[in-house]
């Protein structure tokens, strides 16, 4: 009934593929295959706002527990942050769109499947796909196109003054593959569950029919 009510209230006919409630239970963000994102006020049981439409389908949506900003990541790897209070994109999101994401980030071919936030540091956004997880520190400058995006090993080798100069907002870890789940615990430990695809494939049943060339 809730999904049906969401469809009717938003005037949408497309299937919903993402449901993301806020931690306090006030908000519910929905994303559908028509690239629409709607946010409902569950306490008032009505549509609160619709995020401006973007041409690429959302793959992950999450509402920040303290700022009430909605972060969405899309199939083309773009990232947006939308203020539910102001009903507009945040200044950080506008700056990100003006500067543009790093070319190596946009070249990734696996979608972000989860977005989280560090409860002890509101400026930290944690997200992951199948091959990496990333902590975006909104207090640091965005990486320029000529900047080394995967720079964690480099930073470890630099003295502190140089490390600060070379730091940027995207902290990416590619040590674990393939990622089934990434979660933050209350003590700020990060739990990463990985499982090689070959292990999963080895447990699948034999195919009923295997197509052969020229048959």
């Amino acid at each position: 009934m809730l999904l049906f009510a969401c469809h009717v209230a938003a005037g949408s006919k497309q299937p919903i593929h993402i449901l993301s409630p806020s931690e306090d239970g006030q908000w519910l963000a929905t994303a559908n295959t028509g690239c629409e994102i709607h946010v409902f006020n569950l306490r008032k049981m009505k549509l609160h706002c619709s995020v401006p439409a973007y041409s690429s389908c959302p793959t992950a949506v999450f509402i920040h527990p303290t700022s009430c900003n909605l972060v969405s990541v899309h199939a083309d790897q773009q990232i947006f942050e939308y203020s539910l209070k102001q009903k507009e994109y945040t200044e950080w999101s506008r700056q990100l769109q003006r500067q543009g994401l790093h070319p190596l980030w946009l070249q990734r071919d696996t979608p972000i499947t989860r977005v989280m936030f560090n409860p002890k540091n509101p400026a930290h956004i944690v997200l992951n796909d199948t091959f990496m997880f990333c902590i975006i520190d909104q207090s640091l400058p965005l990486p320029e196109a000529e900047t080394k995006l995967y720079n964690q090993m480099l930073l470890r080798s630099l003295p502190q003054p140089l490390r600060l100069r070379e730091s940027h907002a995207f902290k990416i870890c590619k040590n674990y593959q393939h990622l089934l789940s990434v979660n933050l615990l209350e003590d700020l430990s990060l739990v990463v569950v990985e499982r090689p695809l070959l292990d999963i494939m080895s447990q699948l049943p034999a195919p009923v029919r295997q197509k052969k060339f020229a048959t």
Side-chain angles (χ1 to χ4, degrees), residues 173-190:
C173 176
K174 301 181 72 174
N175 293 345
Y176 308 101
Q177 298 180 7
H178 298 81
L179 298 181
L180 295 182
S181 178
V182 177
N183 272 293
L184 272 172
L185 301 183
E186 291 184 358
D187 63 357
L188 299 188
S189 299
L190 189 67

Side-chain angles (χ1 to χ4, degrees), residues 30 38 44 56 58 63 68-69 74 77 97 155 163-164 207:
T30 70
H38 304 292
K44 298 181 179 180
S56 182
I63 299 172
C68 287
N69 291 338
H74 298 255
Q77 311 299 348
Q97 293 305 309
L155 292 179
R163 189 181 306 172
L164 293 175

Side-chain angles (χ1 to χ4, degrees), residues 124-173:
H124 285 180
I125 303 172
V126 184
L127 37 79
N128 72 275
D129 62 16
T130 307
F131 298 99
M132 66 89 201
F133 68 85
C134 174
I135 299 175
I136 300 177
D137 188 341
Q138 293 180 300
S139 67
L140 293 177
L142 295 167
E144 301 283 349
E146 63 276 5
T147 304
K148 186 177 178 64
L149 181 64
Y150 303 104
N151 65 349
Q152 296 307 294
M153 295 299 294
L154 171 65
L155 292 179
R156 292 193 189 100
S157 66
L158 296 176
Q160 187 66 18
L162 287 177
R163 189 181 306 172
L164 293 175
R165 192 175 66 183
E166 294 291 332
S167 294
H168 58 67
F170 283 63
K171 312 298 183 186
I172 299 173
C173 176

Side-chain angles (χ1 to χ4, degrees), residues 197-212:
L197 286 182
L198 289 178
D199 285 357
I200 298 175
M201 293 173 62
S202 66
Q203 298 183 36
L204 295 176
V208 175
R209 178 178 181 273
Q210 185 172 1
K211 183 174 177 59
K212 297 182 179 179

